[in-house]
Amino acid sequence: DAGVIQSPRHEVTEMGQEVTLRCKPISGHNSLFWYRQTMMRGLELLIYFNNNVPIDDSGMPEDRFSAKMPNASFSTLKIQPSEPRDSAVYFCASSLQGNIQYFGAGTRLSVL
Amino acid sequence: AQSVTQLDSHVSVSEGTPVLLRCNYSSSYSPSLFWYVQHPNKGLQLLLKYTSAATLVKGINGFEAEFKKSETSFHLTKPSAHMSDAAEYFCVVLGSSGSARQLTFGSGTQLTVLP
């Protein structure tokens, strides 16, 4: 099993640009989670999906952030427009029936 | 609602000595508890989990944790630290919200292993 796959691993962009982060969950898992990790705030849950449906997006910081899960094997987190304060490591995780969450290696985003 | 408190933000031990990382939880029901480890510039890896079976849980890399309901604790231990154990460790509780279940993370404990 390849585990949760995130791309890109690193992203450097300029303020105002659109950023799209991608996640492929473990095959067969039905829940998918997006987290953000910063030194100041630690790990924060942004949004999670159950059976491709967004359940709780209360952690999404602003309207600039959006997430989609068009099918069971793919999800995106988009930031438009990006700002320097969005710089963080973004993790995707998946689970089966809401049990153990398996994390991807993360995307390190730097917004200049 | 549920929460976890990691009592130490940093722990430093010498190689070969025991490791103790402390975690207290708060939950209105019998919780599921986890310890995750994050090595520098890496993702989070599950070390072990407690799900109301045996109170002493063994994980990977020689780590174990004991669930103590009377103390609402789930401390992580290892008899002998190795240099490769240097990482950040997160105590996590699993809660329910709607039709999916959410993890609540502690603030993390940075473990340093001295030669």
Side-chain angles (χ1 to χ4, degrees):
Chain A
D1 194 333
V4 176
I5 299 173
Q6 291 186 247
S7 63
R9 289 295 312 276
H10 302 273
E11 177 79 40
V12 180
T13 190
E14 293 185 343
M15 182 174 64
Q17 296 298 306
E18 177 180 297
V19 174
T20 300
L21 312 181
R22 296 173 176 80
C23 176
K24 177 178 169 54
I26 292 173
S27 178
H29 282 190
N30 64 339
S31 296
L32 183 140
F33 305 78
W34 282 102
Y35 293 86
R36 177 171 68 176
Q37 185 179 38
T38 62
M39 288 290 291
M40 292 297 293
R41 301 171 69 96
L43 271 157
E44 304 172 278
L45 176 65
L46 300 177
I47 184 171
Y48 68 87
F49 296 83
N50 200 40
N51 296 320
N52 310 339
V53 176
I55 302 300
D56 184 352
D57 65 354
S58 59
M60 297 284 263
E62 301 171 30
D63 291 345
R64 298 183 295 107
F65 285 69
S66 63
K68 294 182 180 179
M69 192 165 186
N71 56 62
S73 59
F74 184 65
S75 176
T76 60
L77 177 67
K78 185 176 293 186
I79 309 172
Q80 166 63 18
S82 58
E83 296 183 3
R85 60 192 168 122
D86 302 331
S87 298
V89 181
Y90 291 81
F91 288 104
C92 175
S94 71
S95 72
L96 178 61
Q97 305 297 349
N99 289 316
I100 298 170
Q101 290 186 22
Y102 295 88
F103 284 76
T107 295
R108 184 173 296 275
L109 173 65
S110 297
V111 183
L112 306 177
Chain B
Q2 60 284 327
S3 65
V4 288
T5 302
Q6 291 184 244
L7 301 169
D8 307 293
S9 58
H10 291 86
V11 169
S12 184
V13 301
S14 297
E15 190 175 20
T17 64
V19 176
L20 170 63
L21 305 183
R22 298 183 294 166
C23 173
N24 286 108
Y25 70 90
S26 172
S27 178
S28 55
Y29 48 84
S30 183
S32 293
L33 293 159
F34 306 80
W35 277 97
Y36 280 85
V37 61
Q38 185 178 26
H39 287 90
N41 301 313
K42 300 287 187 184
L44 291 98
Q45 181 184 18
L46 180 68
L47 270 181
L48 50 81
K49 63 172 180 172
Y50 166 78
T51 54
S52 74
T55 56
L56 182 63
V57 182
K58 293 188 183 299
I60 62 172
N61 300 335
F63 284 94
E64 61 183 36
E66 186 172 8
F67 174 75
K68 291 187 177 180
K69 186 175 181 179
S70 61
E71 298 177 10
T72 61
S73 69
F74 190 57
H75 302 333
L76 182 70
T77 61
K78 183 173 180 177
S80 176
H82 190 272
M83 296 297 288
S84 61
D85 295 328
E88 188 157 23
Y89 292 78
F90 294 93
C91 182
V92 186
V93 63
L94 179 65
S96 294
S97 174
S99 57
R101 305 176 76 187
Q102 298 189 56
L103 296 180
T104 300
F105 284 79
S107 54
T109 298
Q110 185 69 45
L111 175 64
T112 300
V113 181
L114 305 171

